[in-house]
């Protein structure tokens, strides 16, 4: 009896071990008793619901991203940045026109210049027949800002002054001398220096008759730039030139 009971106990233990091994193997292959009797069904369904929720959120995010891309594509193009602002430059001062004082007007007609027989005949004042000279600005516009009156005034000995009277009231003088040769008279004045205006360089003036029997004068500038022009002169009064000779 004892031996029979021991054998039964051993076989029972062996059977239990076989069952335990089978259970472990089935669970490893997801074929355990719970799977066979659908005891996992709730867990698998819960995992599937969670996965579907994650996929739905992903789809929503993709839809929002696509909508935002479309919105950005429809926005107007941003303008290109313009040039950097330049520092403000001071505005040029406006040109102030010098008011013209009432310069004395010489009555017409005027006596034309002729080559004198002697120096005494030069006595008095002479001016170019073109009259007063317009003073212009130095910029490209060359706006008139006043006038200048150039007079050649002699005493009885062939000496005198070359004088420029400006419409702003300035008056500048330089020494003037003349000498006579047959059919010609030669005059030269020194540099006419002025504080408020540019210096007027030395000029040589040679006057003589021409084919039309009119006395013309060749004027040559002795400045840095050689300038030659031909003009005619007329006599003007001493008051017109503010000459007290």
């Amino acid at each position: 009896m004892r031996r029979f009971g021991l054998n039964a106990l051993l076989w029972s233990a062996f059977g239990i071990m076989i069952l335990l091994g089978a259970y472990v193997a089935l669970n490893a292959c997801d074929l355990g008793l719970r799977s066979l009797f659908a005891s996992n069904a709730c867990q698998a369904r819960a995992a599937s619901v969670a996965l579907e929720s994650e996929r739905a959120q992903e789809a929503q995010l993709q839809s929002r991203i696509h909508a935002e891309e479309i919105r950005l594509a429809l926005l107007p193009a941003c303008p290109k940045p313009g040039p950097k602002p330049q520092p403000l430059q001071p505005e040029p001062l406006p040109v102030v026109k010098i008011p013209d004082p009432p310069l004395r007007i010489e009555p017409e007609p005027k006596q034309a210049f002729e080559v004198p027989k002697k120096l005494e005949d030069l006595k008095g004042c002479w001016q170019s027949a073109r009259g007063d000279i317009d003073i212009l600005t130095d910029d490209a516009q060359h706006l008139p800002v006043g006038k200048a009156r150039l007079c050649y005034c002699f005493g009885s000995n062939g000496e005198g002054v070359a004088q420029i009277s400006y419409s702003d009231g300035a008056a500048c003088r330089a020494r003037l001398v003349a000498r006579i040769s047959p059919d010609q008279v030669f005059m030269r004045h020194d540099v006419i220096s002025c504080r408020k205006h540019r210096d007027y360089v030395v000029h040589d003036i040679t006057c003589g008759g021409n084919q039309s029997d009119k006395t013309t004068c060749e004027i040559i500038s002795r400045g840095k730039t050689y300038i030659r022009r031909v003009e005619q002169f007329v006599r003007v009064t001493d008051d017109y030139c503010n000459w007290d000779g």
Side-chain angles (χ1 to χ4, degrees), residues 180-224:
I180 297 175
S181 63
D183 300 326
Q184 282 188 335
V185 59
F186 174 79
M187 296 176 280
R188 168 179 280 194
H189 67 77
D190 297 335
V191 176
I192 304 176
S193 299
C194 291
R195 289 185 180 180
K196 297 175 61 177
H197 299 275
R198 293 180 178 178
D199 292 347
Y200 194 70
V201 300
V202 174
H203 282 72
D204 292 336
I205 305 170
T206 304
C207 302
N210 57 22
Q211 295 179 355
S212 62
D213 294 331
K214 291 184 179 180
T215 302
T216 57
C217 298
E218 180 187 67
I219 304 173
I220 298 176
S221 170
R222 297 300 181 184
K224 293 182 179 179

Side-chain angles (χ1 to χ4, degrees), residues 5-242:
L6 179 61
N7 289 334
L9 180 62
L10 291 173
W11 280 108
S12 297
F14 179 75
I16 292 171
M17 291 179 65
I18 292 298
L19 291 174
L20 289 175
Y23 178 78
V24 170
L26 289 173
N27 282 335
C29 296
D30 200 16
L31 295 174
L33 295 177
R34 299 178 62 184
S35 298
L36 292 175
F37 294 99
S39 60
N40 299 5
C42 293
Q43 294 181 1
R45 183 178 182 182
S48 176
V49 170
L51 180 61
E52 290 297 328
S53 176
E54 292 292 336
R55 288 177 176 173
Q57 292 182 6
E58 180 183 1
Q60 291 180 357
L61 290 175
Q62 291 291 343
S63 177
R64 291 174 59 185
I65 291 173
H66 183 62
E68 190 66 19
E69 289 176 346
I70 294 175
R71 187 185 69 83
L72 293 176
L74 294 177
L75 289 176
C78 296
K80 295 182 180 180
K84 295 182 179 180
Q86 298 295 326
L88 295 177
Q89 299 293 334
E91 295 183 359
L93 295 177
V95 177
V96 179
K97 186 179 184 302
I98 302 174
D100 293 340
L103 294 175
R104 186 182 298 274
I105 299 176
E106 188 73 352
E108 298 287 349
K110 298 177 182 178
Q111 176 189 347
F113 180 85
E114 295 180 356
V115 177
K117 301 295 184 181
K118 53 186 182 297
L119 288 175
E120 290 85 349
D121 296 336
L122 282 175
K123 185 177 180 180
C125 294
W126 305 87
Q127 184 193 34
S128 170
R130 62 191 172 98
D132 295 340
I133 305 168
D134 288 327
I135 303 173
L136 307 178
T137 57
D138 292 334
D139 54 18
Q141 296 179 335
H142 300 298
L143 299 176
V145 293
K147 289 184 176 295
R149 177 172 294 171
L150 177 58
C151 293
Y152 304 93
C153 299
F154 292 94
S156 58
N157 60 352
E159 296 183 3
V161 297
Q163 175 176 288
I164 303 178
S165 300
Y166 293 93
S167 54
D168 61 1
C172 310
R173 294 182 175 184
R175 180 173 177 266
L176 174 69
V177 295
R179 67 174 182 268
I180 297 175
S181 63
D183 300 326
Q184 282 188 335
V185 59
F186 174 79
M187 296 176 280
R188 168 179 280 194
H189 67 77
D190 297 335
V191 176
I192 304 176
S193 299
C194 291
R195 289 185 180 180
K196 297 175 61 177
H197 299 275
R198 293 180 178 178
D199 292 347
Y200 194 70
V201 300
V202 174
H203 282 72
D204 292 336
I205 305 170
T206 304
C207 302
N210 57 22
Q211 295 179 355
S212 62
D213 294 331
K214 291 184 179 180
T215 302
T216 57
C217 298
E218 180 187 67
I219 304 173
I220 298 176
S221 170
R222 297 300 181 184
K224 293 182 179 179
T225 303
Y226 177 86
I227 299 176
R228 175 187 176 275
R229 64 182 186 272
V230 176
E231 296 185 6
Q232 291 180 322
F233 286 93
V234 292
R235 182 182 289 277
V236 291
T237 63
D238 295 351
D239 290 341
Y240 177 83
C241 293
N242 294 323

